[in-house]
Amino acid sequence: MHNIQTEDKILFYLCLHRITFLSLCEKEILLKELDDFNALALLSKEEISRIIHRQISEKAIWNGKDNLRMAKIALEYCKFLNIRIILNSDENYPFLLKQISDPPLLLFCRGNAELLNGRKYISVVGTRKLSAQGRDSARDFAYQAAKNGYCVVSGLAYGADGYAHKGSVDAYYDFIDDQTMLQNLGHTIAVLPSGIDEIVPYRHKQLAQMILKSGGCIISEYEPKMNIANWHFVARNRIIAGLSESTVVIEAPDGSGSLITADFALEYGREVYLHKACFSEMALKMSDIVRKDLLKKFSQGNASKYKLENTVQKFLEEGAPVIESFDDFCAVLNEEPGIRNAKIVQAELFESV
């Protein structure tokens, strides 16, 4: 790509980022082949197909001039709201996220963008309907992780996500007068499934403000005023998994979205850990209820086989360690691979229920 002004470069990326029918690789081809966003706006769908060497579906909607107009509006919103746009060519684009198969071409960021590179990260996820033990476990794990310098990544949803963010924020306020601790303290990163200017769920707006005030950040791959779609939640999960070397599942009934995040983590070659809260009496009762409902939906053709088979049990059988706390997580890091046999732990847990 030719040398162009920074804002022009951002606008070019924005225009490409908005094209949902192109893969990251195809967008990067256009970045190399075209001079700027004006050249992109003048292309027809057929011309794009020739450049990327793939026939674009007839159902794909494309209007280059309208796309450029919307990208300019998004850029103005970002400037007005002090939202930072981080391109995948920038030095501070998250290193680990860039290694996954389909990283976003760019990220929108509110708050401390410096958190996005050069630190230790751990993703904490789980069901929205947490047991009391699950709530305490998510909060305590994140608190200790932040206290030990980890950035806690989650999705700002109800349940495990919210308690994980709260744990990290609580650590900040507990040590706000201790400058030595603050220098080494981890913070929290919330990944939205919505446009960067919208907080989903809305009732977590105050939590989002606390995340920003405590030195954390909120990120999204979706521009301001972007309408939320159902598939955004799964797309968000891949970012949560991609940002961290490790993903900890607090509680997750069969087919849970948090297990999709765990699947992404394994796909990216990252580590998955199951918190012991997954096997509490209340968690197992909830999982049983959810499984019966899933089986009914599956028999009616309203649930996929993947969802039915995506269970905590599956991750246990694949060797995911079961941990009780952040200290236990650290202990696993220092163990030789295979020392902690998840199947043995599983047997002990179920015998005690």
Side-chain angles (χ1 to χ4, degrees), residues 6 158 185 188 197 234 271 276 313 324:
T6 301
Y158 294 129
L185 198 71
T188 190
D197 61 324
V234 174
E271 297 295 327
K276 194 173 180 178
Q313 170 73 25
E324 297 185 16

Side-chain angles (χ1 to χ4, degrees), residues 109-116 119 187 212 215-218:
C109 179
R110 296 168 64 182
N112 184 7
E114 301 307 313
L115 293 181
L116 296 177
R119 292 173 178 259
H187 297 274
L212 297 177
C217 71
I218 299 171

Side-chain angles (χ1 to χ4, degrees), residues 96-97 120-124 151-153 239-247 265 270-271:
L96 288 174
L97 184 62
K120 298 182 291 185
Y121 306 91
I122 190 162
S123 296
V124 180
C151 282
V152 176
V153 181
I239 296 176
I240 294 173
L243 282 168
S244 303
E245 292 181 346
S246 304
T247 292
R270 314 295 168 77
E271 297 295 327

Side-chain angles (χ1 to χ4, degrees), residues 124-177:
V124 180
V125 297
T127 181
R128 287 166 172 79
K129 296 180 180 179
L130 279 179
S131 67
Q133 182 177 338
R135 292 194 293 270
D136 291 342
S137 297
R139 188 264 176 195
D140 292 347
F141 186 93
Y143 182 96
Q144 293 299 327
K147 184 179 174 182
N148 284 274
Y150 277 82
C151 282
V152 176
V153 181
S154 201
L156 202 62
Y158 294 129
D161 292 20
Y163 281 95
H165 291 306
K166 287 175 183 176
S168 179
V169 168
D170 287 347
Y172 172 81
Y173 285 107
D174 281 354
F175 295 101
I176 196 167
D177 295 323

Side-chain angles (χ1 to χ4, degrees), residues 201-326:
Y202 181 77
R203 279 191 288 172
H204 272 177
K205 186 174 181 179
Q206 184 176 4
L207 175 58
Q209 292 172 341
M210 292 172 64
I211 288 170
L212 297 177
K213 288 179 180 179
S214 65
C217 71
I218 299 171
I219 65 172
S220 174
E221 62 178 318
Y222 306 111
E223 66 192 54
K225 307 303 177 185
M226 174 71 76
N227 291 329
I228 194 168
N230 287 337
W231 60 269
H232 286 181
F233 291 89
V234 174
R236 180 267 307 273
N237 290 352
R238 90 188 193 285
I239 296 176
I240 294 173
L243 282 168
S244 303
E245 292 181 346
S246 304
T247 292
V248 176
V249 180
I250 300 298
E251 277 183 25
D254 297 355
S256 169
S258 54
L259 295 179
I260 296 177
T261 306
D263 253 349
F264 277 126
L266 291 182
E267 179 185 332
Y268 302 149
R270 314 295 168 77
E271 297 295 327
V272 171
Y273 298 82
L274 302 174
H275 198 282
K276 194 173 180 178
C278 286
F279 310 100
S280 70
E281 183 178 358
M282 288 303 297
L284 290 174
K285 284 182 178 178
M286 178 57 70
S287 188
D288 187 52
I289 292 170
V290 170
R291 182 157 190 82
K292 288 176 180 176
D293 185 55
L294 265 179
L295 284 167
K296 181 179 178 181
K297 289 180 178 178
F298 179 72
S299 67
Q300 297 170 341
N302 296 323
S304 66
K305 186 178 180 181
Y306 166 77
K307 196 165 189 177
L308 189 65
E309 294 178 346
N310 202 28
T311 66
V312 166
Q313 170 73 25
K314 181 190 79 171
F315 289 94
L316 280 169
E317 291 174 353
E318 292 177 354
V322 178
I323 57 173
E324 297 185 16
S325 63
F326 177 76

Side-chain angles (χ1 to χ4, degrees), residues 327-337 339:
D327 286 343
D328 200 23
F329 163 78
C330 294
V332 175
L333 293 181
N334 294 321
E335 291 174 358
E336 293 183 14
I339 292 295

